[in-house]
């Protein structure tokens, strides 16, 4: 089974900061990676699929990159509504989620 | 509007069974694979099971294999999860989710229901 490891597990940043979250797969998954945002008390929301394709309606300050084993989710300018937990998900071989990264405002 | 509505959760004793249902609307149900994903209280997401459009391709997480059975009724636009031999560690919010891209395989989830809570306790 492919393990997905996210880092950091939590971070605190100021409004307007650039934020980067990393996801590492235990073996290569090509670009078969999705990112989700879960705001407190809400349902997960798809942000990015195929590692870098923005889901319709998602603000352009979100971007994804990577291939193989190393991936990143970047928020170019953190906004108050971005406070959430972010999960990566492998769908190349089986399906598995990372442990999540909690993003807070400093 | 694409909508998924789960039902069937509740409090159940260890070792007993429960059947979850998910009513789908607003899209052509048999054009997409479907998923069940769960989230234990205060924890992350765990993929539970996936099913392709015609039920020919089904997969399960190791943690539920042999105990849970996913199925779908394309005539009624329903997804199901039969859960047997329930354990305390199955306690979670169970989400039904639509696959984002494929009828033939299960990849990522682009639409999620609000979930139904399953609590396994004596």
């Amino acid at each position: 089974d492919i393990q997905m490891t996210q880092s950091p597990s939590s971070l605190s940043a100021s409004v307007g900061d650039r934020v980067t979250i990393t996801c590492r797969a235990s073996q290569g998954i090509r670009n078969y990676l999705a990112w989700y945002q879960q705001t407190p008390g809400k349902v997960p929301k798809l942000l990015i699929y195929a590692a870098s394709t923005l889901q319709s309606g998602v603000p352009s300050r979100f971007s994804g990159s990577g291939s193989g084993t190393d991936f990143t989710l970047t928020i170019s300018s953190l906004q108050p509504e971005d406070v959430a937990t972010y999960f990566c998900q492998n769908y190349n071989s089986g399906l598995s989620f990372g442990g999540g990264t909690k993003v807070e405002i400093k | 509007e694409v909508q998924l509505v789960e039902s069937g959760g509740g409090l159940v004793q260890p070792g007993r069974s429960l059947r979850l249902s998910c009513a789908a609307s607003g899209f052509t149900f048999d054009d997409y694979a479907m998923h069940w994903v769960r989230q234990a209280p205060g924890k992350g997401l765990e993929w539970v099971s996936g099913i392709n459009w015609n039920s020919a391709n089904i997969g399960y997480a190791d943690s539920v294999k042999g105990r849970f059975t996913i199925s779908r009724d394309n005539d009624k636009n329903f997804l199901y999860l039969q859960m047997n031999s329930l354990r305390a560690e199955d306690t979670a919010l169970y989400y039904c989710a639509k696959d984002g891209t494929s009828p033939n395989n299960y990849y990522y989830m682009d639409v999620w229901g609000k979930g139904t809570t399953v609590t396994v306790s004596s």
Side-chain angles (χ1 to χ4, degrees):
Chain A
D1 291 1
I2 295 177
Q3 310 301 318
M4 306 300 292
T5 303
Q6 285 183 237
S7 60
S9 56
S10 66
L11 66 88
S12 182
S14 299
V15 172
D17 281 355
R18 183 181 185 89
V19 169
T20 299
I21 298 168
T22 296
C23 179
R24 176 164 288 175
S26 59
Q27 62 190 76
I29 61 170
R30 297 182 283 179
N31 69 334
Y32 284 45
L33 185 102
W35 289 97
Y36 301 87
Q37 175 195 60
Q38 187 174 33
T39 52
K42 299 295 186 183
V43 170
K45 173 187 174 183
L46 176 67
L47 295 177
I48 286 168
Y49 59 93
S52 61
T53 302
L54 207 63
Q55 173 70 349
S56 176
V58 173
S60 59
R61 63 180 179 274
F62 291 93
S63 64
S65 64
S67 184
T69 59
D70 294 316
F71 302 86
T72 59
L73 172 70
T74 299
I75 308 172
S76 60
S77 177
L78 187 67
Q79 299 301 305
E81 59 266 34
D82 300 335
V83 168
T85 301
Y86 294 84
F87 297 93
C88 62
Q89 180 228 328
N90 143 62
Y91 55 96
N92 179 67
S93 176
L95 279 80
S96 51
F97 287 93
T101 296
K102 188 174 183 179
V103 174
E104 297 176 321
I105 299 289
K106 195 181 293 184
Chain B
E1 180 195 4
V2 176
Q3 198 169 12
L4 299 170
V5 180
E6 302 91 338
S7 60
L11 173 63
V12 61
Q13 293 179 328
R16 304 298 291 261
S17 299
L18 208 57
R19 189 196 198 203
L20 306 184
S21 300
C22 170
S25 60
F27 66 101
T28 304
F29 186 63
D30 56 7
D31 274 353
Y32 294 93
M34 296 292 294
H35 306 260
W36 288 101
V37 177
R38 69 184 181 184
Q39 187 167 32
K43 301 296 184 183
L45 300 172
E46 180 186 14
W47 178 77
V48 173
S49 184
I51 185 169
N52 81 323
W53 74 279
N54 65 355
S55 306
N57 183 4
I58 286 175
Y60 299 97
D62 287 344
S63 58
V64 306
K65 203 173 291 183
R67 300 188 299 122
F68 289 11
T69 302
I70 191 172
S71 62
R72 63 190 295 163
D73 185 331
N74 288 341
D75 292 330
K76 296 180 179 176
N77 289 356
F78 266 82
L79 178 72
Y80 303 101
L81 187 67
Q82 177 68 43
M83 304 186 295
N84 299 332
S85 303
L86 282 161
R87 306 167 179 167
E89 53 265 35
D90 296 318
T91 294
L93 180 62
Y94 283 74
Y95 294 105
C96 165
K98 170 185 164 293
D99 193 86
T101 187
S102 172
N104 294 316
N105 210 334
Y106 23 93
Y107 291 122
Y108 57 87
M109 307 94 188
D110 70 341
V111 180
W112 299 62
K114 288 184 168 48
T116 186
T117 299
V118 172
T119 303
V120 183
S121 174
S122 54

